[in-house]
Structure formats: structure tokens, C-alpha cells
């Protein structure tokens, strides 16, 4: 590394998701309208259409990328099955999810309160990326979270397998909280 050059650039996120899309400009527009993203730069591809952009959502950076013939990464299939989910905190989850729906997103899990103190909803954006949108609504202790989770598990164990499948919530997708 060149002397005097920092390995991590100033004002850069250490971890940056790179979202591959078929319509980079459309994904930029979605992120700006839904999350208030700020575009830091945009580069065209050989066809003149946007092929790369760097955005910030709050203090975090995210890259939006076009599919490239030499790269194996591809845009997700827009069916909600993306193996990567972007978790983003916002001031008001209900308003943000409504903006996402207005912007073409599909609700995957309706907004609901969670045992760890967040209110969350899951959406799939028009490009097929899945977002968990959350607002903190209550500060909880580790004991409260453990007790609440134990209560959820106890209730689940009382249900038949079919009832259990129908009543699973997104809270069960994140037992680490």
C-alpha cells in the first residue's frame, strides 16, 4: 500500500452492500424516495444507462450495480426468495413501508411489533431485493427479550403443526435480538 494512504478511505462505510439490478436508475429512485438516500455518484455503462451508483442511507453506504457479463453476480429473482435481506432502521416504519408500497414494493411481512422492542415490516422492492424496515419502539432488557421469546416458544408448542406454520411471525426469524 502506498505510504500515507489509508486502507479504509475517509468517510467510507467499512461494509457496503452491493445490490445488483436490471434497472440501476429505478433502484436509485426507489432508495431515494423510500429511504431518503443521497446519491454520491453515478457512472454510465457502455449503453449510456446507469451502471453503478454509490448512495448513502443515513450514515451507511450502499452501491447499486448493473449486471456485468464478466461477473457472476446477478439481480435477484423478484419472488421474495433473495438470500440477502437488508435491515434498515428508520424513524417511522409505518410511513416508510407505505412509501415503499407506493414506490412499487410488495409487502412480504406486514408491519408488526416484535418481542425485542422493534416494529418491523418486510418488503420486496421492484428489483427483487428484500428489505426489513424497522423502528425502535421500546427499549428492552435481555431478561425481557428472553422471557418474551420463551413465551412465544411456549405458545408455538401448544399449537398443531398447521396452526404453528400459519402463526409464525418475523420475530422468529431473528432469535439473536
Amino acid at each position: 500500500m502506498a505510504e500515507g494512504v489509508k486502507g479504509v478511505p475517509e468517510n467510507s462505510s467499512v461494509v457496503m452492500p452491493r445490490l445488483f439490478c436490471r434497472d440501476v436508475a429505478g433502484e436509485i429512485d426507489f432508495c431515494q424516495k423510500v429511504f431518503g438516500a443521497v446519491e454520491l455518484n453515478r457512472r454510465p455503462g457502455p449503453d449510456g444507462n446507469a451502471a453503478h451508483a454509490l448512495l448513502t442511507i443515513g450514515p451507511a453506504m450502499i452501491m447499486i450495480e448493473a449486471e456485468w457479463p464478466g461477473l457472476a453476480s446477478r439481480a435477484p429473482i423478484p419472488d421474495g426468495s433473495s438470500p440477502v435481506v437488508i435491515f434498515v432502521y428508520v424513524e417511522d416504519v409505518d410511513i416508510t413501508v407505505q412509501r415503499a408500497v407506493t414506490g412499487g414494493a410488495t409487502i412480504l411481512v406486514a408491519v408488526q411489533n416484535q418481542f425485542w422492542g422493534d416494529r418491523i415490516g418486510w418488503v420486496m422492492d421492484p428489483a427483487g431485493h428484500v428489505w426489513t424496515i424497522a423502528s425502535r419502539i421500546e427499549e428492552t432488557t435481555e431478561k425481557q427479550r428472553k422471557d418474551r421469546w420463551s413465551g412465544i416458544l411456549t405458545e408455538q408448542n401448544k399449537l398443531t403443526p398447521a396452526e404453528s406454520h400459519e402463526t409464525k411471525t418475523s420475530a422468529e426469524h431473528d432469535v439473536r435480538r
Side-chain angles (χ1 to χ4, degrees), residues 17-18 24 36 47 51 84 90 94 102 107 115 118 122 126 136 149 153 175-176:
R18 293 175 70 194
V24 170
D47 61 0
V84 175
V90 297
D94 294 282
T102 300
I107 293 177
F115 72 93
D118 285 355
W122 291 45
R136 178 60 45 98
W149 183 243
L153 293 178
V175 298
R176 296 169 289 130

Side-chain angles (χ1 to χ4, degrees), residues 14-95:
V14 175
V15 176
M16 280 182 261
R18 293 175 70 194
L19 303 183
F20 282 81
C21 304
R22 291 173 191 85
D23 178 5
V24 170
E27 188 71 6
I28 294 166
D29 186 57
F30 179 85
C31 289
Q32 288 174 325
K33 288 180 178 170
V34 174
F35 302 114
V38 174
E39 183 178 324
L40 300 180
N41 72 39
R42 181 188 301 215
R43 291 190 188 103
D47 61 0
N49 292 323
H52 166 85
L54 178 62
L55 310 175
T56 57
I57 298 175
M61 294 177 147
I62 188 166
M63 291 185 192
I64 310 298
E65 306 281 354
E67 295 179 334
W68 287 92
L71 296 176
S73 297
R74 294 287 173 249
I77 298 167
D79 64 358
S81 68
S82 176
V84 175
V85 177
I86 302 113
F87 189 103
V88 60
Y89 274 112
V90 297
E91 287 300 318
D92 188 320
V93 64
D94 294 282
I95 290 172

